[in-house]
């Protein structure tokens, strides 16, 4: 579901902003600034999609700005403000609550995110006008962490099953454990949802599989130390007949029921029954209702899919989300095998709020009518009526999701209005209006915003794009007094070819005014200047980016090109393929100093014979970035798929994906990065030879507790590929599964310590050496710190060292010696040592002093007060 949402967001961004990027690029290449309208004439609407997302997920907000019935000029600034939990993502990835975006094709877009759950408000503002929209982000913080569902919630005790744990606040998990009465077993974490709504893990292998079901708690330790437990959330079972549920699509549906959803899983043995268990919010009555089974399909890979139709949640209006537990039953021979999956589905509230109009398309039309107009918004229900100005339009359809209405316009009688008309939608839920949304072509005076380009040679022939509003076919375009050839014409754009002015201005550069006339009404636009006399210029390029390895064929459009020419892209020389007066085709060269960052710079053209040159739009070199889609092993003994024996000394590892070049580097996360030799491949496949076993390289296996010890488990490790040519890399988490050569239970010998001697006497002020002897198995850890505690019976018995005292145990040592210096007071002290969980029996140090109480030891002379440097000793 999260992937589907992300794709939908990307599609919206592409539809709303894709054309805008092209138009912005063109307008920036022209020195003519767009004509800015009077602020009072602006109109603005704001659309957000989706309006509900998880924390750390994206919502796209798009403002549509119009003026005079047409789109606002490109480059019109729109100020976006966020309130509540909502924040905007800047180009650097930072989060802020205010950004300014400029329009392209009348639209300006921003990306909205939140780091905590809750509501937010997005407001878009232009001078004297603003529009707002509400957004909501679901999911809690770590302090609100909870587990709602586990899919599937049953698997074999041999491990290796992928399980999705759903909930909220599950950010940065340190570990996921399956806890049984006999111990806890750690699962490998494959991925974590950015909004903390799910964790995907691979189940561990139980050391002593049982033929009967074993129920486990799921225990999640988060980065803050918070522990979340889902009691009795998973069952290890050797049975292969109990239904398993892997996914529900979609996972939400209308409370009125009737939605078709797909259940994906395993062991759906027909006939099956699917029960919806939930609480009806109208009266709080628990319900257990069977869904209608449409069909059950069995895939060749063993995956089963059941299509079902959801039952109705309540006879009344539902105004809150209802979580649903799904129970799947195999009704075979009257003896059912069933499995229940908590909170696997949710009913969403019924639509009861009034409709809202976001924008319409197109925003103009003819008084003759019979044209299709689509209205975009939300909460549209049937029956619906639509008015544009005073005209009741013919409603053709209302989409099932309530987001669009399609109408066929009717003819308008009387004088065409000059002002844009209000669009009104009326349904049983209420009325929505969008002021100044639709303009009649016949009532418009053409308005010019920008010419691209706004200069060209005296001989004419320049292809000029005129951007504006109110153009009605057919139009006449004049450059001064000379008529231009019109290539194409729509409401917002006219494309024409500049006429020659050499007859009237044979040599002198000059500027003329360009105007557009709607010939049907005789209405004439405002003028914009066009300069004649430019020797060479670049108007545009296509495409605008390509790989840093070069080889992309690029067409350069402009004027004044004369062979031979030199061409460069972002400073990199290119191969010229063909030259015409208005067009060059060249092949990009390769970037010499490649990196994993884009390289951008202007396109440059120079006429070699005349040394006349021009620069144009920016070209971008994109780094070749590898992508791993899967890993396969071969020549590894028992290894197959992505499973490799840990003790196998030689193995061929093949990466499937894209963007692979020669001499790729392969490395692993466990053990410490090791590199295998790239022995060949293609752009979609890289082959490596591993010549050392992972165990010889020091892999650390995941382990499970067994009787009096531990045993190694099959362990997932990350696979990373790096392109040394530009240092771009890609990592496939858990791409390889490493099988340990030894899975037997390793009994751990207890670690013991002894102090020597256990009783020792020393004169006051003396030094007593003490030895700690370690008796430990070969697998005991080295390099840890031993803690020495000294507890004297009276003040002044022990002078040093301070207690506790720490001694570092060197690798391989079987004993460590430390010293204790006594004070001048008779008494005893208890000395104890701890290391690695073992404790030594305490030793006793007895301190005695000389009969006269004077201690004479080198470096420990005591001066009596006032004696200065003279030492007096009385014996």
């Amino acid at each position: 579901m999260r992937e589907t949402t992300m794709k939908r967001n990307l599609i919206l961004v592409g539809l709303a902003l894709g054309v805008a990027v092209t138009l912005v690029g063109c307008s920036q290449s022209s020195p003519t600034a767009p004509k800015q309208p009077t602020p009072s004439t602006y109109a603005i609407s704001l659309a957000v999609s989706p309006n509900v997302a998880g924390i750390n997920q994206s919502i796209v907000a798009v403002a549509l700005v119009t003026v005079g019935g047409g789109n606002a000029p490109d480059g019109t600034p729109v100020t976006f403000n966020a309130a509540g939990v909502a924040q905007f993502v800047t180009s650097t990835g930072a989060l802020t609550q205010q950004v300014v975006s400029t329009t392209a094709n009348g639209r300006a877009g921003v990306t909205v995110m939140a780091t905590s759950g809750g509501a937010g408000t997005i407001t878009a503002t232009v001078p004297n006008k603003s529009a707002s929209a509400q957004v909501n982000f679901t999911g809690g913080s770590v302090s609100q962490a909870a587990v709602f569902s586990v899919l599937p919630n049953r698997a074999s005790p041999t491990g290796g099953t992928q399980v999705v744990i759903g909930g909220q606040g599950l950010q940065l998990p340190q570990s996921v454990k399956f806890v049984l009465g006999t111990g806890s077993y750690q699962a490998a974490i494959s991925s974590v949802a950015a909004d903390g709504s799910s964790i995907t893990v691979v189940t561990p292998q139980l050391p002593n599989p049982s033929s009967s079901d074993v129920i486990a708690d799921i225990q999640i330790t988060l980065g803050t130390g918070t522990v979340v437990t889902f009691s009795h959330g998973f069952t290890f079972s050797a049975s292969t007949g109990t239904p398993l549920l892997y996914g529900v699509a979609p996972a939400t549906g209308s409370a009125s029921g009737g939605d078709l959803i797909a259940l994906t899983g395993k062991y759906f043995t027909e006939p099956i029954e699917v029960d919806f268990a939930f609480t009806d919010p109208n009266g709080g009555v628990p319900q257990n209702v069977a869904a209608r089974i449409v069909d059950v399909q069995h895939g060749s890979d063993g995956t089963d899919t059941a299509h079902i139709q959801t039952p109705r949640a309540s006879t009344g209006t539902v105004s809150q989300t209802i979580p649903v537990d799904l129970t799947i039953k195999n009704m075979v021979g009257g003896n059912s095998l069933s499995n229940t999956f908590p909170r696997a589905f949710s009913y969403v509230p019924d639509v009861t709020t009034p409709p809202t109009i976001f924008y319409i398309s197109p925003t103009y039309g003819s008084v003759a009518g019979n044209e299709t107009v689509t209205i975009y918004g939300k909460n549209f229900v049937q029956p619906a009526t639509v008015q544009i100005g005073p005209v009741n339009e013919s409603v053709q359809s209302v989409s099932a999701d309530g987001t669009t209405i399609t109408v066929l316009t009717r003819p308008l009688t009387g004088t065409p209005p000059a002002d844009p008309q209000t669009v009104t939608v009326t349904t049983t839920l209420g009325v929505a209006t969008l002021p100044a949304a639709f303009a009649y072509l016949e009532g418009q005076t053409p308005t010019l915003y920008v010419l691209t380009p706004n200069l060209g040679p005296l001989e004419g022939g320049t292809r000029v794009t005129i951007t504006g509003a109110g153009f009605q076919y057919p139009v006449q375009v004049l450059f001064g007094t000379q008529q231009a050839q019109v290539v194409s014409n729509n409401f917002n754009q006219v494309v024409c070819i500049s006429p020659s002015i050499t007859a009237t201005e044979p040599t002198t550069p000059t500027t003329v005014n360009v105007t557009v006339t709607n010939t049907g009404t005789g209405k004439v636009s405002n003028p914009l200047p066009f300069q004649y006399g430019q020797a060479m210029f670049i108007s545009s390029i296509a495409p605008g980016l390509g790989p840093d390895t070069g080889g992309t064929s690029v067409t350069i459009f402009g004027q004044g090109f004369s062979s031979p020419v030199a061409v460069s892209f972002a400073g990199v020389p290119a191969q010229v393929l063909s030259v015409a007066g208005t067009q060059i085709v060249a092949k990009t060269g390769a970037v010499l100093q490649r990196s994993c960052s884009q390289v951008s710079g202007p396109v440059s053209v120079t006429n070699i014979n005349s040394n006349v040159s021009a620069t144009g739009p920016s070209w971008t070199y994109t780094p070749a970035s590898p992508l791993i889609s899967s890993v396969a092993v071969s020549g590894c003994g028992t290894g197959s798929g992505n499973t490799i024996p840990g003790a196998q000394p030689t193995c061929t590892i093949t990466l499937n994906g894209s963007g692979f070049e020669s001499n790729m580097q392969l490395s692993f996360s466990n053990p410490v990065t090791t590199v295998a030799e790239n022995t060949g491949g293609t752009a979609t496949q890289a082959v490596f030879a591993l010549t050392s076993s992972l165990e010889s390289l020091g892999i650390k296996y995941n382990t499970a507790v067994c009787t009096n010890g531990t045993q190694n488990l099959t362990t997932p490790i990350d696979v990373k590929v790096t392109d040394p040519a530009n240092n771009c890399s890609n990592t496939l988490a858990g791409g390889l599964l490493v099988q340990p050569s030894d899975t037997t239970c390793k009994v751990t010998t207890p670690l013991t310590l002894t102090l020597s001697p256990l009783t020792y006497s020393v004169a006051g002020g003396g030094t007593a050496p003490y030895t700690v002897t370690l008796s430990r198995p070969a697998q005991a850890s080295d390099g840890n710190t031993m803690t020495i505690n000294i507890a004297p019976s009276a003040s002044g018995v022990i002078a040093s060292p301070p207690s506790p005292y720490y001694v570092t145990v060197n690798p391989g040592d079987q004993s460590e010696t430390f010293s204790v210096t006594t004070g001048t007071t008779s008494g005893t002290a208890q000395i104890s040592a701890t290391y690695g969980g073992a404790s030594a029996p305490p030793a006793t140090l007895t301190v005695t002093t000389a009969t006269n109480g004077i201690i004479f030891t080198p470096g420990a002379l005591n001066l009596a007060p006032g004696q200065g440097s003279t030492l007096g000793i009385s014996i």
Side-chain angles (χ1 to χ4, degrees):
M1 184 67 182
R2 180 167 57 89
E3 181 181 356
T4 302
T5 302
M6 293 176 66
K7 288 180 178 178
R8 182 180 62 193
N9 289 350
L10 292 175
I11 291 171
L12 176 65
V13 173
L15 291 176
L17 304 179
V19 176
V21 173
T22 303
L23 293 176
V24 169
C26 292
S27 64
Q28 288 176 344
S29 67
S30 169
T32 301
K35 177 185 177 182
Q36 295 298 325
T38 304
S40 61
T41 63
Y42 281 119
I44 186 171
S45 62
L46 182 65
V48 293
S49 180
N51 60 358
V52 178
I55 59 175
N56 297 321
Q57 291 182 333
S58 298
I59 291 177
V60 177
V62 179
L64 173 63
V65 184
T66 59
V67 57
N71 292 333
D74 291 350
T76 300
V78 181
T79 301
F80 289 86
N81 288 283
V85 300
Q87 293 179 291
F88 302 116
V89 183
T90 67
S91 58
T92 62
L95 296 177
T96 180
Q97 289 198 302
Q98 184 181 74
V99 293
V100 176
S101 180
T102 56
T103 59
N105 200 27
R107 290 170 172 81
V110 291
T111 300
V112 187
M113 291 183 64
T115 57
S116 60
T121 302
I122 307 301
T123 302
T125 304
V126 293
N128 300 325
K129 297 288 183 180
S130 65
S132 297
Q134 298 294 316
V135 293
N136 284 276
F137 291 89
T138 60
S141 62
V142 172
S143 62
Q144 302 167 312
V147 174
F148 297 152
S149 63
V150 179
L151 293 178
N153 63 354
R154 178 186 294 265
S156 168
T158 58
T161 299
Q162 181 169 286
V163 172
V164 179
I165 303 170
Q168 68 177 22
L170 305 178
Q171 291 97 343
L172 301 176
Q174 289 183 335
S175 66
V176 176
K177 296 180 180 179
F178 288 71
V179 182
L180 290 72
T182 56
S184 64
Y185 306 92
Q186 186 160 314
I189 299 175
S190 298
S191 62
V192 181
D195 63 349
S197 63
S198 68
I199 304 173
T200 302
V201 302
V202 177
T203 59
Q205 178 181 354
L206 300 188
N208 298 304
S210 173
S211 58
S212 59
D213 289 355
V214 178
I215 298 176
D217 298 340
I218 296 179
Q219 187 181 86
I220 304 172
T221 302
L222 302 175
T224 58
T226 301
V227 178
V228 181
T229 301
F230 191 50
S231 299
H232 305 100
F234 194 82
T235 301
F236 288 98
S237 172
S239 169
T240 59
T242 303
L244 301 179
L245 182 62
Y246 296 157
V248 181
T252 59
S254 169
S256 58
D259 292 327
L260 287 176
I261 65 174
L263 309 182
T264 305
K266 203 170 185 180
Y267 308 131
F268 296 172
T269 304
E270 298 161 278
I272 70 168
E273 178 180 310
V274 179
D275 293 336
F276 279 50
F278 57 92
T279 299
D280 186 340
N282 297 308
V285 179
Q287 303 286 329
N288 192 58
V289 186
R292 186 175 76 86
I293 308 300
V294 177
D295 62 45
V296 179
Q297 300 173 0
H298 305 283
S300 58
D301 60 351
T303 301
D304 299 331
T305 301
H307 295 97
I308 67 173
Q309 191 170 29
T310 62
R312 187 177 181 87
S314 177
T315 56
T317 299
V318 174
S319 59
Q320 65 190 59
T321 299
I322 305 175
V324 177
D325 297 347
L326 296 184
T327 299
I328 303 176
K329 300 178 181 178
N330 290 338
M331 309 298 292
V332 181
N335 298 317
S336 65
L337 290 174
S338 66
N339 204 356
T340 299
F341 305 92
R343 301 177 74 112
F345 182 81
S346 296
Y347 284 115
V348 296
D350 295 323
V351 175
T352 58
T353 54
T356 300
I357 304 174
F358 294 152
Y359 61 95
I360 71 170
S361 180
T363 58
Y364 52 85
S366 171
V367 295
N370 202 37
E371 296 173 341
T372 299
V373 175
T374 303
I375 303 170
Y376 297 88
K378 65 179 180 180
N379 303 333
F380 298 149
V381 297
Q382 293 181 323
T385 61
V386 175
Q387 288 180 296
I388 297 180
V391 181
N392 289 316
E393 308 296 356
S394 174
V395 176
Q396 302 297 297
S397 65
V398 179
S399 66
D401 61 0
T403 61
T404 61
I405 298 178
T406 302
V407 302
L408 192 66
T409 60
R410 301 183 190 275
L412 175 71
T413 59
T415 303
D419 296 329
Q421 301 297 290
T422 296
V423 175
T424 303
V425 172
T426 303
T427 73
T428 56
L429 300 178
V431 179
T433 60
L434 187 62
F438 185 86
Y440 286 103
L441 290 169
E442 291 81 358
Q444 302 303 301
T445 297
T447 302
L448 275 55
Y449 296 153
V450 64
L451 306 180
T452 307
N454 64 351
L455 42 80
L458 298 172
E459 295 80 7
T462 303
R463 186 183 179 94
V464 179
T465 299
I466 305 172
T467 303
F471 304 138
Q472 181 181 356
Y473 182 84
V475 297
Q476 180 190 53
V477 180
L478 295 179
F479 282 64
T481 60
Q482 303 297 311
Q483 183 167 315
Q485 175 191 350
V486 176
V487 177
S488 64
N489 168 202
N490 62 35
F491 183 79
N492 290 109
Q493 187 180 88
V494 175
V495 179
C496 63
I497 306 297
S498 67
S500 170
I501 63 167
T502 54
T504 57
E505 300 284 349
T507 58
T508 305
T510 187
T511 299
V512 300
N513 284 327
V514 176
T515 58
V516 176
T517 301
N518 287 345
T519 58
T521 63
K523 294 185 177 182
V524 183
S525 73
N526 59 295
L528 286 181
F530 182 89
Q531 181 183 351
Y532 277 102
Q534 182 74 12
M536 181 200 293
F537 67 88
I538 301 173
S539 59
S540 63
I541 61 172
L545 53 82
D548 59 2
T549 53
T552 302
S553 182
V554 182
T555 302
I556 304 170
F557 301 96
Q559 292 282 346
F561 304 142
S562 179
S563 182
V565 297
V567 177
S568 65
F569 294 87
V572 179
Q575 177 189 359
V576 178
L577 301 179
S578 66
V579 181
T582 60
Q583 180 176 296
I584 297 173
V585 178
K587 183 180 292 185
T588 60
V591 177
L592 295 180
Q593 299 295 328
R594 298 172 63 191
S595 68
C596 202
S597 299
Q598 292 184 344
V599 177
S600 297
V603 178
S604 176
V605 175
T606 301
N607 288 344
I608 295 175
N609 291 336
S610 64
N611 204 34
V612 175
S613 63
T615 57
S618 179
W619 166 267
T620 298
Y621 282 104
T622 57
S625 184
L627 175 66
I628 308 173
S629 60
S630 63
V631 179
V633 299
S634 58
C636 301
T638 59
S640 63
N642 68 333
T643 301
I644 180 173
Q648 184 67 34
T650 59
C651 187
T652 297
I653 299 178
T654 301
L655 307 185
N656 299 305
S658 61
F660 300 137
E661 298 187 275
S662 59
N663 300 319
M664 302 297 284
Q665 295 178 346
L666 176 69
S667 57
F668 310 110
S669 61
N670 176 7
V672 176
T673 302
T674 57
V675 179
E677 180 185 358
N678 188 185
T679 59
T682 64
T684 60
Q685 196 172 72
V687 181
F688 298 87
L690 185 66
T691 57
S692 299
S693 73
L694 292 174
E695 290 185 357
S696 68
L697 294 171
I699 184 174
K700 296 184 182 299
Y701 286 113
N702 295 338
T703 59
V705 176
C706 56
T707 305
N708 297 325
T710 60
Q711 66 180 145
N712 292 332
L713 300 177
T714 297
T715 301
I717 63 174
D718 297 347
V719 178
K720 179 180 180 181
V721 65
T722 303
D723 188 343
N726 58 12
N727 288 323
C728 287
S729 63
N730 180 245
T731 300
L732 182 61
L736 270 183
L737 297 177
V738 186
Q739 289 180 332
S741 58
D742 186 355
T743 59
T744 60
C745 187
K746 295 291 187 297
V747 178
T748 302
T749 304
L751 179 70
T752 59
L753 299 179
T754 57
L755 275 169
S756 179
L758 291 179
T759 303
Y760 191 81
S761 299
V762 64
T767 298
Y770 272 83
T771 300
V772 181
T773 301
L774 294 81
S775 175
R776 52 183 170 171
Q779 66 265 34
S781 58
D782 284 323
N784 293 330
T785 301
M786 182 185 302
T787 303
I788 309 298
N789 283 283
I790 305 174
S793 61
S795 176
V797 173
I798 300 299
S800 66
S803 184
Y805 176 55
Y806 302 100
V807 176
T808 299
V809 179
N810 296 316
D813 285 357
Q814 291 296 318
S815 65
E816 295 293 339
T817 300
F818 63 97
S819 298
V820 177
T821 300
T822 66
T824 59
T825 303
S826 296
T828 60
Q830 295 292 314
I831 302 176
S832 60
T834 58
Y835 173 74
S839 300
T844 300
L845 170 68
T846 301
V847 181
T848 58
T849 61
T851 56
N852 54 14
I854 302 298
I855 305 300
F856 181 83
T857 56
L861 296 178
N862 296 318
L863 296 177
Q867 289 184 331
S869 60
T870 303
L871 176 64
I873 300 175
S874 174
I875 298 177

